[in-house]
Amino acid sequence: MSKGLRFRRSPRWKVSWLFVFVALACLPFADLSISTYDPWAELGRLFGGLLQPSLVAIEKPFEALLQTLAFAILGVSSGSLIGFGLAQLFHLRLVRIVCASVRAIHELFWALIFLQIFGLHPLTGLLALGLPYAATFAKVYAEILEEGDRRAYDTIRQSAGPTSAFFYARLPDLWQHFVTYTGYRLECGLRSSAVLGFVGLPTLGYYLSTAFLEGAYAEVWALLILFYLVIASLRYWLRPKLLPLYILIAPFIIANDSEISVDNISRFFTQDIVPLPLRNSEGLSGLWQWFTELFLTEALPGIINTLLLTQIALVLTGLIALIWFPLISRLFFERFGRLLGHLFLVIMRSTPEYILAFILLTLWGPSMLPAVIALALHNGAIIAHLMGRYSNTLSLRVDATAGMNRYAYEVVPRIYNQFLAFLFYRWEIIQRETAILGILGITTLGFYIDSAIQDIRLDRAMVLIAITAALNVCIDSLSHYIRSKLRLSIGSQQISAESRR
């Protein structure tokens, strides 16, 4: 039986088509319309701004960039430190459950919560980044420790004790994996830090949203190019020896024009998030009626739309990744072609989904279409980058064909397992991003959460956020189950090695 025929009869191929059929079944129920009057004219004005990018009209753009860097460095470094400590306790079921719940809530949701407690104080941004990142670091660091070679550690532990054995036998061997993954997570932190500007913090996102709403596309492109340059130069200025210096300087860069109100903190925990029936002493029957109404009118429609959007975006992400990975593969392009491919993928994966969706919503109007495209472009570029690098490790047969035959019969069947592993690994991340895009007006769970916060109904918002977290945990568990059934291995050490971008 030929390799191509075996590939098409494999369980992985059948599961792939199952997800495609699910996405196709979702299409009739998804709002994918374009509602703006003349989207192509607006798109022309947007790309017209690329011809003359300008920072002149923006007040203190480089200060906003420094704010973005400072929030990212402090948030990621604190999350890394806490996550490293939690990784030592990750064998405890309670720690795993808490970490899964915390990282299931998007950074922007955390920012919206802390805005109600601390206002626009820097602590809002630092906690919004630090908490979910600490939970993520704990999981990945624990998996790196679990996958490492324990023989030297077990030998030394018998005579020197567990602490000394860890620092002398375990940590040096795995240190590079920790450093590599932390560097990758800092790039993610830069994107998240920029997006925090959309909720009012003084990062690049604040000026980007203002420029978009005013139609100042020359300023939009200038800010995006500035951000791309920072991401592209990450490997040059992010040196482990310089990181302590950055951490020391960062607190002095972050703007702090607000004060924390103890009354706000007290009111948040004792009144704001307490369900209304309990505040009015309506008992359990009143609480059940309140929750039932909330679930049927807001949570259930939000869950349905979130799942619809997620499944469509997931399949489109996979399709884009399969189309784009040859752009950086030596099996398909020469050096100059791969250089252009790298540049293109860097731009696509460095632009946060939230910003991409914001751009497309401005051009096309509020529907699921901008969100689907934004999620697919960003995540597709990430997976294409990883798969392109993975394909470079392949050795082709002497009689290997060229062109489309090489792509379809030689390369794709050999990298398809790894492709599915990365795609299912990104599934929960796409789900998180889908929920948060509701803040932009798309009727996912984030839309109802943002509406509840705007109406100062924080009790409803907290319940909806908890439902969002539970949904993300379910998707993550299902993804893990499918990967284990299909034996799609994507170890954390591989993640740390491959995700360094």
Side-chain angles (χ1 to χ4, degrees):
M1 186 183 297
S2 68
K3 182 187 299 183
L5 186 58
R6 290 197 305 270
F7 170 59
R8 285 164 176 77
R9 290 185 176 180
S10 69
R12 298 172 181 86
W13 182 248
K14 295 176 182 177
V15 168
S16 302
W17 276 108
L18 174 62
F19 273 79
V20 170
F21 290 141
V22 169
L24 292 175
C26 291
L27 286 176
F29 304 99
D31 177 15
L32 301 175
S33 61
I34 296 177
S35 57
T36 50
Y37 175 69
D38 192 359
W40 298 113
E42 192 68 22
L43 188 64
R45 286 190 287 271
L46 172 64
F47 284 102
L50 180 60
L51 302 177
Q52 47 182 0
S54 173
L55 293 172
V56 175
I58 302 174
E59 183 181 359
K60 301 178 180 178
F62 292 101
E63 182 176 329
L65 177 62
L66 290 176
Q67 296 282 333
T68 303
L69 290 169
F71 272 110
I73 289 170
L74 290 178
V76 173
S77 58
S78 60
S80 174
L81 184 62
I82 296 171
F84 186 80
L86 290 173
Q88 316 309 313
L89 306 172
F90 210 73
H91 59 282
L92 301 175
R93 184 177 181 84
L94 179 61
V95 174
R96 294 198 303 272
I97 292 174
V98 170
C99 287
S101 302
V102 169
R103 72 173 181 269
I105 301 175
H106 194 278
E107 301 90 87
L108 268 184
F109 283 148
W110 282 115
L112 290 174
I113 293 172
F114 291 124
L115 273 173
Q116 314 309 312
I117 305 174
F118 305 118
L120 286 174
H121 193 276
L123 197 57
T124 293
L126 295 177
L127 288 174
L129 292 176
L131 275 179
Y133 277 40
T136 302
F137 276 124
K139 178 179 183 290
V140 176
Y141 285 171
E143 290 177 351
I144 290 175
L145 289 170
E146 183 180 347
E147 294 168 9
D149 189 347
R150 295 178 57 92
R151 288 175 295 181
Y153 169 77
D154 293 335
T155 301
I156 297 176
R157 184 179 60 175
Q158 298 175 0
S159 57
T163 303
S164 298
F166 176 80
F167 283 101
Y168 284 98
R170 292 280 279 160
L171 193 57
D173 184 46
L174 301 173
W175 179 252
Q176 189 55 48
H177 293 295
F178 289 126
V179 170
T180 302
Y181 181 77
T182 305
Y184 155 68
R185 186 51 61 178
L186 180 59
E187 181 183 333
C188 299
L190 285 171
R191 293 197 295 267
S192 299
S193 178
V195 169
L196 289 179
F198 283 80
V199 298
L201 292 170
T203 62
L204 281 175
Y206 177 80
Y207 295 94
L208 269 172
S209 62
T210 302
F212 269 119
L213 293 175
E214 294 177 352
Y217 296 132
E219 286 76 20
V220 167
W221 281 109
L223 290 169
L224 286 175
I225 291 171
L226 188 63
F227 184 66
Y228 295 148
L229 290 175
V230 171
I231 296 293
S233 62
L234 195 64
R235 67 177 64 184
Y236 301 109
W237 59 265
L238 182 60
R239 305 283 181 174
K241 293 181 179 179
L242 294 176
L243 193 57
L245 178 62
Y246 296 152
I247 295 173
L248 288 175
I249 295 175
F252 299 98
I253 294 175
I254 291 180
N256 184 12
D257 298 328
S258 60
E259 296 181 357
I260 296 176
S261 171
V262 177
D263 292 337
N264 284 347
I265 298 175
S266 176
R267 185 176 65 250
F268 178 83
F269 288 104
T270 60
Q271 298 182 37
D272 292 345
I273 64 173
V274 178
L276 182 62
L278 296 183
R279 275 181 277 161
N280 295 339
S281 303
E282 297 177 14
L284 292 179
S285 61
L287 179 63
W288 175 252
Q289 184 178 358
W290 173 85
F291 176 78
T292 302
E293 183 270 336
L294 174 63
F295 184 82
L296 293 177
T297 60
E298 297 186 14
L300 186 58
I303 290 171
I304 292 172
N305 287 331
T306 299
L307 292 175
L308 286 175
L309 205 161
T310 298
Q311 295 311 116
I312 297 172
L314 179 69
V315 171
L316 187 57
T317 294
L319 181 62
I320 287 176
L322 289 175
I323 293 173
W324 283 357
F325 86 83
L327 295 177
I328 61 169
S329 175
R330 64 177 178 80
L331 304 178
F332 299 98
F333 286 94
E334 298 297 333
R335 182 182 180 89
F336 181 72
R338 296 199 305 272
L339 180 63
L340 294 179
H342 274 294
L343 178 62
F344 173 72
L345 292 183
V346 164
I347 292 173
M348 297 310 302
R349 71 176 185 266
S350 297
T351 308
E353 302 100 312
Y354 193 89
I355 293 178
L356 278 173
F358 187 85
I359 296 172
L360 296 175
L361 278 165
T362 304
L363 298 175
W364 297 341
S367 74
M368 290 186 182
L369 182 61
V372 168
I373 299 300
L375 289 165
L377 290 178
H378 175 79
N379 290 283
I382 290 176
I383 298 176
H385 167 78
L386 298 175
M387 298 317 301
R389 288 183 55 181
Y390 184 73
S391 70
N392 287 332
T393 65
L394 300 179
S395 297
L396 297 180
R397 295 177 288 109
V398 176
D399 60 341
T401 57
M404 283 300 299
N405 286 332
R406 171 181 293 184
Y407 173 86
Y409 295 102
E410 181 71 20
V411 178
V412 170
R414 294 174 65 182
I415 70 171
Y416 199 76
N417 290 355
Q418 204 67 26
F419 159 73
L420 281 185
F422 280 120
L423 185 63
F424 285 128
Y425 184 77
R426 298 291 302 180
W427 188 10
E428 184 265 341
I429 298 172
I430 293 173
Q431 171 87 23
R432 291 173 67 244
E433 297 291 342
T434 297
I436 199 64
L437 292 180
I439 295 177
L440 297 175
I442 304 162
T443 53
T444 61
L445 280 165
F447 173 81
Y448 297 101
I449 293 170
D450 187 54
S451 299
I453 291 175
Q454 295 296 329
D455 294 338
I456 320 180
R457 297 187 296 177
L458 301 182
D459 52 343
R460 300 172 73 91
M462 294 301 292
V463 171
L464 291 170
I465 288 175
I467 291 173
T468 302
L471 185 63
N472 289 342
V473 170
C474 290
I475 291 293
D476 189 35
S477 300
L478 180 58
S479 171
H480 185 271
Y481 173 78
I482 293 174
R483 294 201 307 270
S484 64
K485 282 293 183 181
L486 297 180
R487 298 179 181 179
L488 301 173
S489 175
I490 178 169
S492 54
Q493 291 188 19
Q494 184 181 4
I495 296 170
S496 70
E498 290 293 339
S499 59
R500 179 65 169 168
R501 306 198 291 276

